[in-house]
Amino acid sequence: AERALAFVDLYGSAFGLSTRASVRAARAPERDALGMDHVRLQQVVGDIPVTAGEIVVHLRGDRVVGVNGRTLPGPMPDPS
């Protein structure tokens, strides 16, 4: 999950995510039969999940080989 969060730090703005604080791991990373890890990240505002806001980071070793998903871009309301 840390490798996926590092990706968000570098490239999250392309997906409408400002920082790693705007996502959290939705579940434990999964490894498929080809040895690729798939990390599902849920978009959050504070601790509140954004409905249907998530991305999946696909990794092979230390390399990100693909990312897909949907997020709600732009300024998010303060949940407090």
Side-chain angles (χ1 to χ4, degrees):
E2 180 58 35
R3 293 176 293 164
L5 292 171
F7 173 84
V8 171
D9 285 339
L10 293 172
Y11 303 106
S13 61
F15 296 89
L17 303 169
S18 56
T19 66
R20 74 170 54 201
S22 58
V23 294
R24 68 175 175 211
R27 63 177 81 138
E30 300 172 12
R31 178 164 287 172
D32 66 17
L34 299 174
M36 288 183 56
D37 295 313
H38 308 279
V39 181
R40 186 171 301 271
L41 300 174
Q42 171 73 54
Q43 185 180 14
V44 294
V45 177
D47 285 329
I48 302 169
V50 174
T51 301
E54 65 180 29
I55 63 171
V56 182
V57 181
H58 309 278
L59 303 124
R60 180 174 284 130
D62 289 338
R63 296 183 51 185
V64 173
V65 295
V67 179
N68 64 299
R70 294 185 179 170
T71 61
L72 183 62
M76 300 297 282
D78 185 358
S80 54

